[in-house]
């Protein structure tokens, strides 16, 4: 049976790392600041379809839930989840290399993270904290990120070409099509 | 920001073709929205959920509805039985209950997403969340939205490689690629009139993908 983390060529990775006491606000500010600074660090890890960092402070437990024993997290945790194409090992190699400038500010604020938050040590740390999937669904799991991007681009170009080609004769249309699509 | 507040903000952000708000919620990237939910699982769910997960993989028919939902890019359920231990100062915590992690990456709006899940996947929702404390059933949808909102954790940063693409656009683009391939391959070898006829037919065939 295939791994529960895999759907087609897509892999669902989830790591949950405990945040050092007192570092929660700084970590949250750093992560939220990516957008304010116009940074998209995960775009450097080119096999990433979609990913997120989430800080989890507690598990919800309300009296109306009728839970016999209230339970919450003993320590705030950082959830990192990524949906990517390909195998985990090579992806984490890419991630731990490409995100080296940011990793210290992120996982460096988590307990147990190697002092130099990069490379093999960071990879081992993330794997140690991996939570495996029970069920993973990917709508286009057989397509790599590169394939999806190329196809979206091609679709846009065909839409434009369909309009542009309306006034062309057969020979002009063929020449333009070949230049636009066949020789790329 | 509560889940419900995030909801309303997300809806406003993705209500048109692209991101329009100057300060969209952190769980939104373009038209893609992230939802992250932890729910506490009743003792019987600890044994039941792994069986359900395995069945969902082995019997694709059980999750056919999820495939038909045209706005879910990726979704995932995980059972967290223990928090990985990394040494002091992390307290050693033996969880009394398992906790279910659910994430989804979708396009549309939070409210519409929960509505669709509740109405279309009613039995599936009961199967996946029925063993969670406080789950009020998928329908009526109001209490269920409240429940998801209470248990949702907001993303601090969310990334999509295709922030402006809906899943319909992506599926169309992939289908289009397959339909376009023969013409791309043969175009140079065809005479112009034959090419024009093939091109016109191809456009007609793929118009739903454009």
């Amino acid at each position: 049976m295939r791994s529960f983390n895999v759907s087609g060529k897509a892999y669902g990775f989830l790591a949950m790392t405990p945040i050092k006491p007192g570092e929660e606000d700084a970590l949250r500010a750093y992560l939220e600041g990516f957008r304010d600074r116009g940074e998209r660090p995960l775009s450097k890890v080119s096999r990433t379809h979609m990913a997120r960092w989430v800080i989890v402070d507690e598990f919800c437990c309300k009296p109306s839930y009728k839970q016999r024993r209230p339970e919450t997290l003993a320590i705030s945790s950082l959830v990192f989840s990524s949906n990517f194409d390909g195998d985990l090992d090579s992806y984490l190699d890419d991630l731990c290399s490409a995100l080296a400038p940011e990793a210290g500010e992120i996982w460096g604020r988590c307990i147990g993270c190697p002092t130099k938050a990069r490379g093999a040590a960071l990879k081992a740390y993330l794997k140690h904290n991996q939570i495996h999937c029970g069920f993973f669904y990917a709508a286009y799991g057989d397509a790599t990120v590169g394939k999806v991007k190329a196809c979206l681009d091609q679709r846009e170009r065909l839409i434009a070409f369909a309009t542009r080609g309306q006034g062309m004769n057969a020979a002009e249309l063929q020449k333009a099509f070949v230049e636009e699509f066949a020789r790329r | 920001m509560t889940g419900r507040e995030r909801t309303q903000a997300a809806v406003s952000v993705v209500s048109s073709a692209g991101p329009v708000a100057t300060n969209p919620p952190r769980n939104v990237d373009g038209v893609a929205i992230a939802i992250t939910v932890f729910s506490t699982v009743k003792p019987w769910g600890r044994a039941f959920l792994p069986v359900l997960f395995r069945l969902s993989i082995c019997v694709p028919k059980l999750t056919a509805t999820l495939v038909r939902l045209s706005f879910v890019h990726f979704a995932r359920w995980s059972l967290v039985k223990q928090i990985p231990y990394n040494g002091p100062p992390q307290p050693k915590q033996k969880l009394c209950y398992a906790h279910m992690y659910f994430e989804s990456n979708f396009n549309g709006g939070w409210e519409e997403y929960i509505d669709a899940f509740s109405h279309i996947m009613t039995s599936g929702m009961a199967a996946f969340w029925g063993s969670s404390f406080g789950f009020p059933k998928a329908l009526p949808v109001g209490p269920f939205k409240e429940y998801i909102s209470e248990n949702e954790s907001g993303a601090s940063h969310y990334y999509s490689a295709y922030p402006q693409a809906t899943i319909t656009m992506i599926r169309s683009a992939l289908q289009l690629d397959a339909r376009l391939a023969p013409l791309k391959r043969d175009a140079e070898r065809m005479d112009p009139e034959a090419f024009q006829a093939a091109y016109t037919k191809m456009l007609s065939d793929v118009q739903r993908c454009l």
Side-chain angles (χ1 to χ4, degrees), chain B residues 124-157:
Chain B
M125 302 286 277
F128 278 102
W129 273 281
S131 58
S132 288
F133 283 106
F135 174 68
K137 295 184 180 173
L139 291 172
V141 74
F144 181 63
K145 282 182 183 171
E146 201 65 40
Y147 176 74
I148 293 295
S149 186
E150 288 163 1
N151 287 274
E152 185 181 357
S153 298
S156 292
H157 182 71

Side-chain angles (χ1 to χ4, degrees), chain A residues 35 65 71 81 134 147 154, chain B residues 28 96 99 103 150 177 184:
Chain A
R35 176 176 291 174
Y65 290 3
E71 179 171 73
S81 161
K147 173 83 172 175
Q154 178 179 255
Chain B
V28 174
C96 299
H99 297 263
E103 76 159 60
E150 288 163 1
D177 185 55
K184 284 164 66 176

Side-chain angles (χ1 to χ4, degrees), chain B residues 32-56:
Chain B
I33 303 178
I35 188 169
T36 311
V37 176
F38 277 96
S39 58
T40 304
V41 175
K42 295 173 183 174
W44 62 269
R46 202 180 177 99
F48 169 75
L49 284 170
V51 174
L52 176 69
F53 294 152
R54 192 171 286 257
L55 269 176
S56 301

Side-chain angles (χ1 to χ4, degrees), chain A residues 18 74-75 111, chain B residues 85 87-94:
Chain A
I75 192 165
I111 296 169
Chain B
Y85 185 64
Q90 180 184 2
K92 279 190 176 173
Q93 183 178 22
K94 189 175 185 328

Side-chain angles (χ1 to χ4, degrees), chain B:
Chain B
M1 184 184 265
T2 66
R4 181 57 55 88
E5 287 165 344
R6 275 192 297 277
T7 299
Q8 288 158 352
V11 169
S12 70
V13 168
V14 297
S15 59
S16 62
V20 293
T22 52
N23 189 22
R26 309 284 174 191
N27 64 319
V28 174
D29 188 11
V31 298
I33 303 178
I35 188 169
T36 311
V37 176
F38 277 96
S39 58
T40 304
V41 175
K42 295 173 183 174
W44 62 269
R46 202 180 177 99
F48 169 75
L49 284 170
V51 174
L52 176 69
F53 294 152
R54 192 171 286 257
L55 269 176
S56 301
I57 293 169
C58 297
V59 188
K61 198 176 170 184
L62 293 176
T63 49
T65 312
L66 184 60
V67 178
R68 283 202 302 274
L69 289 178
S70 57
F71 47 81
V72 180
H73 295 263
F74 297 91
R76 184 189 321 179
W77 287 262
S78 295
L79 203 54
V80 182
K81 294 179 178 174
Q82 288 304 329
I83 307 293
Y85 185 64
N86 291 270
Q90 180 184 2
K92 279 190 176 173
Q93 183 178 22
K94 189 175 185 328
L95 294 177
C96 299
Y97 302 103
H99 297 263
M100 187 165 70
Y101 170 88
F102 168 70
E103 76 159 60
S104 182
N105 304 262
F106 62 99
N107 55 258
W110 195 98
E111 296 270 357
E112 292 89 335
Y113 178 77
I114 302 295
D115 282 341
F117 249 68
S118 295
H119 286 100
I120 300 169
M121 291 188 63
T122 313
S123 56
M125 302 286 277
F128 278 102
W129 273 281
S131 58
S132 288
F133 283 106
F135 174 68
K137 295 184 180 173
L139 291 172
V141 74
F144 181 63
K145 282 182 183 171
E146 201 65 40
Y147 176 74
I148 293 295
S149 186
E150 288 163 1
N151 287 274
E152 185 181 357
S153 298
S156 292
H157 182 71
Y158 180 51
Y159 167 79
S160 168
Y162 334 101
Q164 302 310 325
T166 64
I167 188 162
T168 304
M169 287 166 66
I170 291 173
R171 280 180 168 159
S172 297
L174 292 168
Q175 288 171 14
L176 183 64
D177 185 55
R179 302 295 291 270
L180 195 56
L183 195 57
K184 284 164 66 176
R185 184 190 60 223
D186 299 336
E188 275 189 285
R189 293 196 298 268
M190 300 167 83
D191 68 67
E193 283 69 31
F195 168 79
Q196 189 174 38
Y199 170 79
T200 304
K201 182 176 185 314
M202 183 274 297
L203 270 192
S204 172
D205 290 346
V206 303
Q207 58 182 308
R208 289 183 64 191
C209 297
L210 298 176

